[in-house]
Amino acid sequence: MSAPLSPGSTIGIIGGGQLGRMLAMAGARLGYRIVVLEPQADCPAAQVANRQIIAAYDDPAALDELARACDVVTYEFENVPVVAAQHLAKSVPVYPPARALEVSQDRLAEKTFLNGIGIQTAAFRPVENDQDLAAGLAAFGGSGILKTCRMGYDGKGQLVFRNMTTGGFDGTCASLGNVPLILESFVAFEREMSVIAARGTNGSISVYDPAENVHRDGILHTSTVPAAISEQTAAAARQAAHKILSALDYVGVIGIEFFVLADGSLLANEMAPRVHNSGHWTEAACVISQFEQHMRAVAGLPLGDANRHSDCLMQNLIGDDVDQVPALLSKPDVAVHLYGKAEARPGRKMGHFTRIAGRN
Ligand code: AMP
């Protein structure tokens, strides 16, 4: 294990959205300087960072410049090109490791990895053509979700099939762009939840309490702690987080999403090798937020206490929801966090608020 980064050192962040912004703010609090690599000028993260390199994420000259400017590099989104992370890693530590990107960028690789370390997922099959789709749906009793293996998020690139007993799938794969696809069996879950966990450079692991998540139109709407789950279900989620972090020799924060079945058992849905929207509640309800936890991990500092001192609801402010901010600001126990985005387009995450309750 290398020595912790001393204050005044520089941490690079690939990606300039709201997650990068919140990481930059947490890093600044620990005394670090922040450089953001992001093609969009004046992005949310650059507004609160020391410097922005305005270039594509895979621009070799920009990556070299980032490596020269930084003592360690991290990222705020999972579609950072693996080759970019590998290129950078030749000259500067990059956390989380490139292997975590490889696994989480492809739903087939992800589910195969999870099953391989004993974590259950929905049944799945690769789909390359309409015949594969028909055969897969027949095997799954006529219902399933067809997803693009790569670049899908917030429910984009997905088709739901319910009780399809006959054919009629001609052209489906073409409509999704003839890219590699995965068919998952349809999970009749009781609720959705996630855990945010972290692993330090010394291998220590810290896991936040599971949050219960509600999605609207495929986008996270609320995360609530505590989740309405049994202690056994919470323990199973923690155990899964430990397995994943250890298997990947991970450093940093990870978000892992699960389906909770009626009997309390879990199926992992997906994991994101970064801080996660369903962990924003940690900022209000824990002494150390997921953002500080991530910056501590990548800087080689000791991990912070993940205990929760309050119950909490986090709600995203999407598009026009941001108009609620003046009213929210007058409510007790509510904190508003805005991302510095100029224009409130439909579906765009503009900010979030947390409301703490029932201090523990
Ligand atoms: P994803 O992009 O995989 O996170 O999926 C977005 C949302 O679609 C999830 O949060 C679930 O609400 C739903 N979903 C995804 N996969 C399945 C599945 N296999 N069965 C039932 N619902 C699913």
Side-chain angles (χ1 to χ4, degrees):
M1 192 194 128
S2 47
L5 286 190
S6 46
S9 304
T10 303
I11 300 181
I13 301 175
I14 307 178
Q18 63 267 17
L19 299 179
R21 178 183 176 97
M22 291 184 267
L23 286 172
M25 291 163 75
R29 241 173 53 145
L30 292 170
Y32 296 123
R33 300 177 63 80
I34 305 293
V35 178
V36 171
L37 170 65
E38 160 67 42
Q40 185 210 315
D42 194 38
C43 59
Q47 292 168 19
V48 300
N50 297 84
R51 180 179 164 204
Q52 178 178 10
I53 299 173
I54 302 178
Y57 308 124
D58 57 356
D59 179 326
L63 289 168
D64 288 341
E65 197 179 335
L66 185 69
R68 277 195 302 276
C70 298
D71 298 287
V72 62
V73 172
T74 188
Y75 44 87
E76 60 118 44
F77 70 112
E78 62 272 36
N79 287 317
V80 171
V82 173
V83 285
Q86 287 167 338
H87 178 81
L88 272 174
K90 287 180 198 150
S91 43
V92 64
V94 179
Y95 299 129
R99 169 95 180 108
L101 285 173
E102 250 167 4
V103 168
S104 58
Q105 282 177 4
D106 184 298
R107 292 182 190 275
L108 262 181
E110 184 174 59
K111 288 200 165 49
T112 306
F113 163 75
L114 290 168
N115 291 174
I117 57 170
I119 297 173
Q120 302 298 311
T121 62
F124 64 96
R125 286 178 160 219
V127 168
E128 286 176 7
N129 53 49
D130 299 336
Q131 290 73 36
D132 291 347
L133 173 60
L137 279 173
F140 295 156
S143 298
I145 302 199
L146 185 66
K147 303 180 180 178
T148 56
C149 284
R150 302 179 75 88
M151 301 301 272
Y153 66 95
D154 287 348
K156 294 191 173 67
Q158 302 190 4
L159 288 178
V160 179
F161 297 92
R162 296 282 220 161
N163 306 316
M164 302 289 289
T165 46
T166 53
F169 304 115
D170 289 355
T172 307
C173 293
S175 76
L176 287 170
N178 280 325
V179 291
L181 301 168
I182 179 172
L183 180 70
E184 297 177 14
S185 63
F186 197 86
V187 179
F189 56 79
E190 199 170 74
R191 60 191 83 242
E192 294 188 79
M193 58 166 251
S194 57
V195 283
I196 308 298
R199 186 168 178 273
T201 49
N202 64 356
S204 62
I205 289 177
S206 176
V207 188
Y208 290 97
D209 275 355
E212 185 161 339
N213 300 325
V214 174
H215 295 85
R216 272 195 192 164
D217 303 325
I219 303 175
L220 184 67
H221 176 53
T222 58
S223 292
T224 306
V225 279
I229 55 170
S230 67
E231 189 37 53
Q232 286 93 316
T233 302
R238 286 174 192 277
Q239 196 192 15
H242 275 258
K243 275 186 183 171
I244 292 169
L245 291 173
S246 301
L248 293 171
D249 198 16
Y250 198 89
V251 173
V253 162
I254 195 168
I256 310 160
E257 295 181 73
F258 297 93
F259 301 128
V260 186
L261 307 186
D263 66 359
S265 60
L266 292 174
L267 296 178
N269 178 30
E270 61 181 2
M271 57 195 216
R274 53 170 169 78
V275 287
H276 199 261
N277 193 169
S278 68
H280 291 359
W281 63 269
T282 60
E283 205 176 28
C286 299
V287 173
I288 303 300
S289 74
Q290 63 165 346
F291 306 104
E292 176 166 339
Q293 194 76 306
H294 184 79
M295 293 313 242
R296 283 185 181 218
V298 304
L301 296 171
L303 294 183
D305 180 3
N307 278 324
R308 184 168 59 77
H309 55 67
S310 302
D311 296 349
C312 188
L313 165 99
M314 185 288 310
Q315 186 170 321
N316 275 332
L317 296 169
I318 314 259
D320 291 346
D321 290 351
V322 76
D323 297 341
Q324 299 166 22
V325 166
L328 286 167
L329 289 174
S330 66
K331 292 190 190 222
D333 291 330
V334 167
V336 173
H337 198 137
L338 297 176
Y339 304 151
K341 298 182 185 177
E343 203 192 332
R345 290 196 291 268
R348 191 172 202 206
K349 290 175 181 166
M350 301 301 293
H352 67 265
F353 71 88
T354 48
R355 191 176 65 230
I356 54 168
R359 291 180 185 81
N360 298 327

